[in-house]
Amino acid sequence: MSKSSTPTASPKAEHSDVVLVTGMSGGGKSVAMHALEDAGFFCVDNLPAELLLDFLRLEQQRGKRHVAIAVDVRRAGSLPLLLPLIKQLRTEGVAVRSIFLDANTEALMRRFSETRRPHPLRQDQSSLGAGPQDDGEDQHRALLDAIALERELLSALRVESTVLDTSQLRPAQLRAWVRDLVVVDGTALTLVFESFAFKHGVPSDADLVFDVRVLPNPYYDRELRPLNGRDAPVAAYLEAQPEVSLMLGQIAGFLATWLPSYAADQRSYLTVAIGCTGGQHRSVYLVETLARKFADHGQVLKRHRELDAR
């Protein structure tokens, strides 16, 4: 940070709307930043943490209200400074929203393989004593080690952020989800309901996970199979099942009981993931119904991971 005589006070909240985009290399930061740029944000990539306060002061003078800053492990030496700065800004009333883009190791490995880009933490093979023609196994192991190290370096930042699991997301989905996140009031708890298919894995960004595979499945009705939980015939079928009403009431009751405690814990987002086998009927219906039940909560988002991917 600057050591000049310029005052070091943080930017005022009324002049700032700051989104910090961080996460795993290959997690989708470029896609997210493009979405924010399209939404009217002034975007800066790979800003050193040491320059954050000075940069925000400058943007305040220029009158810019929406700023998005991408920070990743390329600035590993600055990472220890980042969390204290974020907490300082929030304490002083600056609305800073940190979005952490995560993905499972298999997805990250695949993306690096497809793009043939080197991981920023991958060590030079020559420094490891490997020959210039190191085989595929060595390269695979080096990439795995780099991803594991990156997870460790970013773990504290992940805890303080809103996490998006991009493992199963298409770029269009990610752009839409990021836009949804930045339009809500970051000072109040946002309740996110997300449907998913267990066969494609549990979303790593979920705070609460409910398994509804025990409920009657519309998939086995030939007429309902091609439909989804947003369609009236599927909703009518599920509403007629006593088990569905019981499950729905218990989930709603749990959330109603504990939402005040989650809000008091100063969380920005609470993601409630509802999973069934295919992510098409039961989980979608419950997400739609719960979102309506909690509409008066103030800030509610809906996501359908499998449906949105089509």
Side-chain angles (χ1 to χ4, degrees):
M1 286 179 284
S2 172
K3 296 183 180 180
S4 67
S5 58
T6 303
T8 58
S10 297
K12 297 296 183 182
E14 61 266 29
H15 295 295
S16 299
D17 187 358
V18 181
V19 174
L20 184 70
V21 180
T22 184
M24 298 296 293
S25 301
K29 289 188 291 295
S30 295
V31 174
M33 291 296 281
H34 287 152
L36 291 170
E37 189 172 25
D38 291 342
F41 281 75
F42 179 73
C43 298
V44 178
D45 186 26
N46 203 24
L47 182 74
E50 297 91 335
L51 301 180
L52 180 59
L53 292 182
D54 288 338
F55 171 73
L56 292 179
R57 283 199 300 273
L58 179 61
E59 290 308 306
Q60 178 185 343
Q61 295 170 9
R62 292 177 175 176
K64 295 185 181 294
R65 291 182 54 85
H66 305 294
V67 177
I69 302 168
V71 178
D72 56 40
V73 80
R74 287 176 292 172
R75 295 286 183 180
S78 298
L79 288 176
L81 303 175
L82 192 57
L83 272 179
L85 285 173
I86 293 173
K87 292 178 179 179
Q88 175 186 338
L89 288 166
R90 288 173 175 168
T91 299
E92 297 175 4
V94 180
V96 181
R97 307 179 189 185
S98 180
I99 299 176
F100 190 101
L101 303 178
D102 203 354
N104 60 46
T105 299
E106 180 182 359
L108 295 175
M109 295 285 289
R110 183 179 66 252
R111 291 169 188 174
F112 276 105
S113 175
E114 291 171 350
T115 62
R116 297 185 179 276
R117 291 174 52 207
H119 191 284
L121 291 181
R122 183 173 171 180
Q123 298 185 49
D124 183 358
Q125 290 300 314
S126 61
S127 67
L128 300 176
Q133 302 297 325
D134 57 309
D135 59 26
E137 183 177 349
D138 290 336
Q139 296 182 33
H140 183 84
R141 171 50 57 188
L143 181 54
L144 279 174
D145 290 344
I147 291 173
L149 177 58
E150 184 176 28
R151 289 197 191 281
E152 181 180 350
L153 291 172
L154 296 176
S155 59
L157 186 56
R158 187 184 191 278
V159 171
E160 296 295 327
S161 304
T162 299
V163 181
L164 283 181
D165 182 355
T166 70
S167 305
Q168 304 288 335
L169 299 187
R170 295 181 296 108
Q173 280 180 279
L174 178 56
R175 286 194 293 268
W177 288 17
V178 168
R179 287 195 298 268
D180 286 343
L181 285 177
V182 298
V183 297
V184 298
D185 180 4
T187 63
L189 177 67
T190 298
L191 187 56
V192 182
F193 291 105
E194 179 177 350
S195 67
F196 71 95
F198 272 98
K199 66 181 181 181
H200 296 313
V202 177
S204 67
D205 53 5
D207 297 299
L208 301 171
V209 178
F210 294 96
D211 182 354
V212 300
R213 287 176 292 183
V214 296
L215 300 178
N217 193 350
Y219 177 85
Y220 295 109
D221 185 313
R222 184 175 301 176
E223 294 183 355
L224 300 179
R225 183 175 301 178
L227 304 179
N228 65 66
R230 293 182 294 199
D231 294 316
V234 174
Y237 170 89
L238 291 171
E239 287 167 359
Q241 311 300 320
E243 306 99 310
V244 175
S245 297
L246 179 61
M247 177 77 79
L248 187 61
Q250 290 175 338
I251 295 174
F254 177 88
L255 292 175
T257 299
W258 290 104
L259 269 179
S261 297
Y262 284 114
D265 195 38
Q266 297 184 332
R267 289 171 175 258
S268 297
Y269 298 88
L270 182 70
T271 300
V272 181
I274 311 289
C276 62
T277 305
Q280 178 178 340
H281 297 105
R282 296 165 292 182
S283 61
V284 171
Y285 167 77
L286 263 72
V287 161
E288 292 287 330
T289 306
L290 287 167
R292 288 193 297 270
K293 282 183 175 291
F294 286 90
D296 60 355
H297 166 72
Q299 299 187 135
V300 177
L301 298 177
K302 294 183 298 183
R303 300 175 186 158
H304 298 296
R305 190 181 72 181
E306 269 53 71
L307 291 187
D308 294 344
R310 297 178 181 178

